[in-house]
Amino acid sequence: MTPRRPWPLNVDGIAYGGDYNPEQWPLEVQTEDVRLMREAGVGLVSVAIFSWAQLEPREGDFDFAWLDAVLDRLHAAGIGVALATATASPPPWLTRKHPEILPRLADGTVLHQGSRQSYAVASPLFRDYALGMTRRMAERYRDHPALALWHVDNELGCHVPHDCSDAAAEAFRRWLRHRYGTPAALNTAWGTAFWSQHYDSFDEVLPPLSAPTFVNPTQQLDFARFSSDELLTHYRALRDVLRELTPHVPTTTNLMMSTGTKWMDYFSWADDLDVVANDHYLIAGDPEAHIELAFSADLSRGVAGGDPWMLMEHSTSAVNWQPRNRAKGPGEMLRNSLAHVARGADAVMFFQWRQSAAGAEKYHSAMLPHAGEDSDVWRGTLELGRRLRSLSPVRGSRVVADVALVFDYPSWWASESEGHPTQALSYPDEVMRWYRALWRRGVTVDIVSPRTVPSGHRVVIVPTLYAVDDGCAARIAEAAHGGASVLVTFFSGIVDENDHVRLGGYPGAFRELLGVRTEEFHPLLQDETLTLDDGTSATLWSERTRLEGARAVRTWAEGPLEGLPAVTRNPAGRGSAWYVGTRPDADGVARIVDALLAEADVAPAVPGLADGVEAVRRRADDGTSFLFLINHTSHDVEVPATGRELIRGEEVRSHLTVPALETAVLRER
Ligand code: GLA
């Protein structure tokens, strides 16, 4: 159970810190920064993410002196550095000299300098400049004792996931040649017999540019795959330079795993990251943002293959990029931080160390706010540092989960395509509907890719897994045959990896496993709700389903499908296969989840907890377990427990009180 992944060098315990942008401040402030970082117990900071223009103000004219001094100062204070390649934003001289490296949208709009990330990731010219800068950084700092981790670029694809520049078109054609070999194979995969789209050569192919109406869906799906791959290719190219010059230093980049970031297939990036790092921001308008946080953390752990991972960025309080930016409430930052640790993070870092006085992010919170040290945010920063030190023993332990939820980026892309039975389908909404019910039951969930469904989970939830190849379908069936209770929801298994419908009845890939066959979809209209025979209701979707071996668990109580099955169960080997052919309301989902958990004998981490109290367990190699209890409610809760509470340093003999809005971490053995 020892983690497979390397960790930032010389950083003890749970890593604590944030993005550090000293170039925005005069020297006396930078000196104060280091003093305050020490006071807060900061041990790792990300430096030089957006420093290219300061490090190379004119082409070929480098100024590293200021960065040398920053790294020396940090090292003297015992603070490690996640050093960036400084390539996340090209300097103005570069985009002025070579406007051809600018990215372009599908409608032809060019994205200019003056913001950030103004580069076409597929541009060979940009790549050369970025490789050159990366090499400079690695040559300069390869032996610097502060160097703990390499941070490549920053949030690759955040602003421009789909570049449609000429360079991208060229690279897309190369990618297609590699995937298909011949135009004939591409024509078959893309179904170009439709609408006169036949290609005679790869040279005729373009990215999916703005067009009169629906663009070929397989072209769109392949472009999404290509774009994710191309960002990864850029990462790899820079990473390879770093590996060549500093093979002993781990390399990563910060991913954005949440329900809000759609376009990077992070499961396919995982093997290239020495350590998986995630950035997560709460959505202020979501009253259950802490559940979305839990999902993001579980997804990060899933991408990391269960290993500890780094929370590379989150916010101490408000962000500045949502329509209305709410400050965090009492204790919320501490609960957020420890919820990530509960779910496998061994690093808690923020954007950013000191709140900017100028620039587009000046109203984004930071560890040290505009108000300075006499502020609740700074007191929170100090308190978090203290807590993380007390949680050092947790480092390296792994989260225990009996339930897996299958999550798939390509299915997200393809299921929300145009020209579908409903435009109201949101893949993350469907996923979160099931995730939320499990969170409320206190059951910890591993988020897994259909390409690597691990064995051993007692329940496997498969929400709207629209596009599946035969291998994925087989892996999910194997989970059921091996003893799991597998639940598949509507619009799953409908198409293959080329977005071609699996013929003969829906849900094609899972028909046999589920023992059902659907002839026709009956999507519901906006605001249409239909009742099921258990009194719960459903929206969005229904379908004319025939039983072919399965038994009906719920039927429609009204509407055109009255009496027909809506939820079914089929025995499958040593397990079972459930089908939910609609979108049940929250009560309906909860009842189905309860039935599954009961059937599979899955218990919550702590049975009988009050609503809104989160409990997650991490286990160390030596069998020690750490129980995280996060009380999101406004009343104190009593939890039966024995062990040692690490944050307050108290022995617990029978009961532990977790105060309202507070967190406790119990070492159980
Ligand atoms: C992202 C970026 C940071 C910063 C934050 C603000 O995570 O990586 O540079 O812009 O967003 O929330």
Side-chain angles (χ1 to χ4, degrees):
M1 261 191 359
T2 311
R4 288 181 290 122
R5 292 171 191 271
W7 200 247
L9 307 177
N10 305 320
V11 177
D12 298 328
I14 306 287
Y16 183 40
D19 283 14
Y20 180 38
N21 298 304
E23 61 270 45
Q24 296 174 14
W25 299 97
L27 187 58
E28 63 273 18
V29 174
Q30 297 182 33
T31 310
E32 187 192 58
D33 281 336
V34 173
R35 174 181 69 78
L36 292 173
M37 283 177 194
R38 284 178 64 107
E39 195 180 326
V42 163
L44 182 68
V45 288
S46 304
V47 176
I49 295 175
F50 298 104
S51 303
W52 194 344
Q54 265 91 358
L55 292 171
E56 191 182 6
R58 286 159 298 280
E59 184 167 8
D61 190 352
F62 290 91
D63 174 10
F64 281 109
W66 67 270
L67 186 55
D68 295 350
V70 168
L71 262 60
D72 291 351
R73 241 185 332 266
L74 289 167
H75 177 65
I79 299 165
V81 171
L83 188 58
T85 50
T87 52
S89 231
W93 60 257
L94 177 50
T95 48
R96 271 172 54 84
K97 181 174 175 195
H98 292 293
E100 67 274 27
I101 71 162
L102 293 171
R104 207 187 301 154
L105 301 182
D107 67 1
T109 305
V110 173
L111 303 176
H112 293 280
Q113 67 178 48
S115 174
R116 67 173 173 187
Q117 223 171 63
S118 310
Y119 62 75
V121 74
S123 156
L125 189 62
F126 174 69
R127 176 93 31 98
D128 277 352
Y129 275 100
L131 286 170
M133 189 62 202
T134 301
R135 186 168 288 280
R136 287 263 168 183
M137 291 292 281
E139 281 169 352
R140 180 113 195 151
Y141 297 110
R142 62 200 293 176
D143 297 321
H144 199 288
L147 178 59
L149 176 71
W150 283 113
H151 179 116
V152 170
D153 199 285
N154 188 64
E155 291 193 341
L156 283 155
C158 169
H159 304 299
V160 194
H162 291 166
D163 167 41
C164 293
S165 64
D166 293 344
E170 212 22 72
F172 184 38
R173 289 189 278 265
R174 269 198 308 278
W175 186 92
L176 291 168
R177 269 196 197 95
H178 183 253
R179 184 176 176 88
Y180 294 112
T182 63
L186 175 134
N187 282 311
T188 306
W190 285 18
T192 57
F194 181 81
W195 281 356
S196 185
Q197 291 170 355
H198 177 89
Y199 293 100
D200 202 40
S201 97
F202 284 104
D203 298 337
E204 294 172 0
V205 179
L206 293 173
L209 302 179
S210 300
T213 182
F214 303 149
V215 171
N216 182 310
T218 315
Q219 181 184 1
Q220 296 191 55
L221 181 58
D222 271 350
F223 192 66
R225 288 185 175 121
F226 152 77
S227 299
S228 173
D229 286 358
E230 193 58 29
L231 290 159
L232 176 60
T233 300
H234 187 64
Y235 167 83
R236 280 186 185 139
L238 273 52
R239 187 267 329 260
D240 287 350
V241 170
L242 301 170
R243 277 202 181 153
E244 177 201 323
L245 293 169
T246 55
H248 61 293
V249 182
T251 303
T252 193
T253 187
N254 43 348
L255 311 183
M256 298 164 283
M257 291 175 275
S258 75
T259 55
T261 300
K262 178 172 177 178
W263 293 116
M264 277 66 71
D265 181 1
Y266 289 134
F267 281 108
S268 72
W269 293 33
D271 288 347
D272 284 288
L273 306 170
D274 290 328
V275 49
V276 168
N278 193 39
D279 294 352
H280 182 263
Y281 292 95
L282 295 182
I283 300 302
D286 177 0
E288 294 186 323
H290 55 286
I291 304 185
E292 199 275 336
L293 179 157
F295 171 80
S296 163
D298 287 342
L299 176 57
S300 304
R301 186 180 70 256
V303 166
D307 287 330
W309 50 279
M310 298 183 72
L311 177 65
M312 190 64 107
E313 289 181 24
H314 69 150
S315 67
T316 55
S317 191
V319 300
N320 71 314
W321 44 265
Q322 294 173 20
R324 290 159 198 257
N325 297 298
R326 193 175 63 85
K328 288 192 179 178
E332 194 174 355
M333 179 280 275
L334 295 171
R335 290 195 303 285
N336 295 164
S337 299
L338 296 193
H340 284 290
V341 177
R343 291 172 191 276
D346 274 1
V348 177
M349 308 200 30
F350 292 91
F351 176 83
Q352 60 174 324
W353 160 252
R354 182 187 280 273
Q355 187 167 10
S356 299
E361 293 187 318
K362 56 184 171 296
Y363 295 114
H364 194 295
S365 62
M367 298 169 83
L368 181 59
H370 287 158
E373 290 163 76
D374 185 8
S375 63
D376 286 344
V377 167
W378 175 248
R379 283 182 278 276
T381 299
L382 295 177
E383 177 59 16
L384 180 59
R386 198 189 67 69
R387 288 188 186 194
L388 293 179
R389 280 195 296 285
S390 72
L391 296 182
S392 293
V394 170
R395 169 154 163 199
S397 58
R398 294 161 74 97
V399 174
V400 186
D402 290 326
V403 176
L405 184 148
V406 175
F407 185 81
D408 185 42
Y409 286 96
S411 276
W412 185 353
W413 307 335
S415 65
E416 294 182 352
S417 198
E418 313 135 308
H420 274 197
T422 178
Q423 283 302 300
L425 175 81
S426 153
Y427 177 75
D429 280 5
E430 294 312 316
V431 167
M432 286 309 289
R433 192 162 276 274
W434 297 93
Y435 182 84
R436 237 181 259 121
L438 289 156
W439 190 95
R440 288 214 177 83
R441 288 292 178 264
V443 170
T444 310
V445 178
D446 283 337
I447 312 290
V448 302
S449 161
R451 299 193 287 269
T452 53
V453 180
S455 56
H457 291 98
R458 284 192 261 172
V459 170
V460 179
I461 310 275
V462 186
T464 306
L465 190 68
Y466 173 66
V468 284
D469 63 22
D470 294 347
C472 293
R475 271 187 287 282
I476 287 165
E478 265 162 39
H481 291 131
S485 295
V486 171
L487 177 132
V488 177
T489 80
F490 71 93
F491 217 37
S492 288
I494 303 299
V495 298
D496 64 13
E497 63 275 26
N498 292 326
D499 201 18
H500 292 205
V501 171
R502 292 172 174 275
L503 303 177
Y506 313 123
F510 298 119
R511 223 163 50 214
E512 201 181 313
L513 170 69
L514 298 170
V516 297
R517 179 164 174 271
T518 287
E519 294 173 25
E520 204 178 4
F521 302 133
H522 286 248
L524 304 189
L525 299 180
Q526 194 173 358
D527 302 327
E528 193 180 4
T529 300
L530 290 177
T531 310
L532 303 174
D533 63 350
D534 67 341
T536 61
S537 63
T539 51
L540 188 81
W541 193 270
S542 67
E543 53 185 74
R544 183 173 290 278
T545 301
R546 268 211 321 249
L547 300 175
E548 293 195 343
R551 91 182 149 74
V553 176
R554 305 260 185 285
T555 56
W556 292 104
E558 58 177 341
L561 304 178
E562 188 176 338
L564 293 182
V567 179
T568 63
R569 181 184 182 281
N570 198 31
R574 294 194 284 123
S576 65
W578 295 60
Y579 184 53
V580 181
T582 185
R583 184 168 83 177
D585 61 17
D587 187 23
V589 171
R591 289 187 199 190
I592 298 167
V593 161
D594 284 345
L596 273 175
L597 296 177
E599 170 181 290
D601 203 17
V602 173
V606 177
L609 276 187
D611 267 4
V613 183
E614 190 172 348
V616 184
R617 202 167 261 117
R618 288 180 65 160
R619 191 159 290 146
D621 279 350
D622 66 0
T624 308
S625 64
F626 301 95
L627 176 64
F628 284 72
L629 293 157
I630 304 164
N631 183 356
H632 299 277
T633 76
S634 51
H635 47 265
D636 300 356
V637 291
E638 288 260 295
V639 181
T642 54
R644 183 172 180 78
E645 202 292 312
L646 295 176
I647 294 177
R648 283 159 211 85
E650 288 164 5
E651 289 305 316
V652 177
R653 299 200 197 288
S654 63
H655 278 81
L656 171 65
T657 303
V658 189
L661 303 176
E662 261 300 346
T663 306
V665 183
L666 193 75
R667 191 212 296 250
E668 293 177 301
R669 187 184 76 79

